[in-house]
Amino acid sequence: MSTIRLIDFLLLNATILLSSFIIVCHFNKEKKISSGKLFLGTTTVFFSQIVLTEILLGSFSLLSYKNFTLTASSIFIILLCLLLYGKIKTPEIEKPKKIPKIFTIAIFAPLLILLITRLGKTILEIPMEYDSLAYHLPFVVKWLQTSSIIQPYF
């Protein structure tokens, strides 16, 4: 049953993503669009469509998974029909330009330094919070005493 729910969730997100792509193509006034602009536009419309649909359904007290799925699917079907009947033109996608290595290093070096710093702090820091000592520590003690991770729970 959980596999069917996962497939349903993935299909729902795929329909929203494709409808976002169609919306970005519709509102693009140029004959060519860069892949970066297309990606950013589709991502922005994707999240906006989710939030606005939830707000709209919530304001009418109709917010449920079934209604959300129905609304997202309806939007997708309408946009797909408009695309197939030629009412929406798809622009030509330009090939991405090569990004200089220095730009890539400038973007990812601070993130990598933050990640390594955070990981080092987490490894060296002893948890002293109440939750860690009162709840988690007894399980670790039982685990060490029994030499089995399953034994403390049963």
Side-chain angles (χ1 to χ4, degrees):
M1 189 68 170
S2 63
T3 306
I4 294 171
R5 288 184 182 164
L6 176 66
I7 292 170
D8 181 41
F9 177 74
L10 292 174
L11 286 174
L12 174 64
N13 280 298
T15 58
I16 296 171
L17 186 67
L18 288 172
S19 62
S20 301
F21 175 77
I22 295 170
I23 290 170
V24 169
C25 288
H26 175 67
F27 286 106
N28 181 41
K29 302 298 180 196
E30 304 163 5
K31 290 185 178 185
K32 289 186 176 183
I33 187 169
S34 68
S35 57
K37 188 185 271 188
L38 183 65
F39 174 75
L40 288 175
T42 303
T43 305
T44 304
V45 173
F46 173 78
F47 290 116
S48 301
Q49 186 178 356
I50 292 172
V51 170
L52 291 175
T53 304
E54 289 177 350
I55 289 172
L56 183 67
L57 290 173
S59 63
F60 291 112
S61 300
L62 297 171
L63 185 59
S64 68
Y65 186 75
K66 183 175 81 171
N67 290 340
F68 184 81
T69 305
L70 184 66
T71 305
S73 301
S74 300
I75 291 170
F76 174 68
I77 290 170
I78 290 168
L79 288 170
L80 189 63
C81 289
L82 289 173
L83 181 69
L84 292 176
Y85 286 118
K87 302 290 182 185
I88 298 175
K89 306 281 187 210
T90 55
E92 183 182 336
I93 300 171
E94 296 176 355
K95 291 184 178 180
K97 297 173 185 169
K98 191 172 182 178
I99 300 173
K101 286 185 181 182
I102 190 74
F103 183 71
T104 307
I105 292 170
I107 294 281
F108 289 109
L111 294 174
L112 189 62
I113 290 169
L114 277 170
L115 181 67
I116 291 170
T117 306
R118 182 83 172 145
L119 181 66
K121 182 182 175 215
T122 304
I123 290 172
L124 298 175
E125 187 178 274
I126 298 171
M128 297 299 281
E129 297 88 22
Y130 175 77
D131 182 54
S132 298
L133 295 175
Y135 180 74
H136 298 289
L137 187 59
F139 283 109
V140 174
V141 170
K142 286 285 189 189
W143 175 42
L144 290 172
Q145 288 173 349
T146 60
S147 299
S148 171
I149 198 156
I150 296 175
Q151 208 54 274
Y153 298 106
F154 299 107

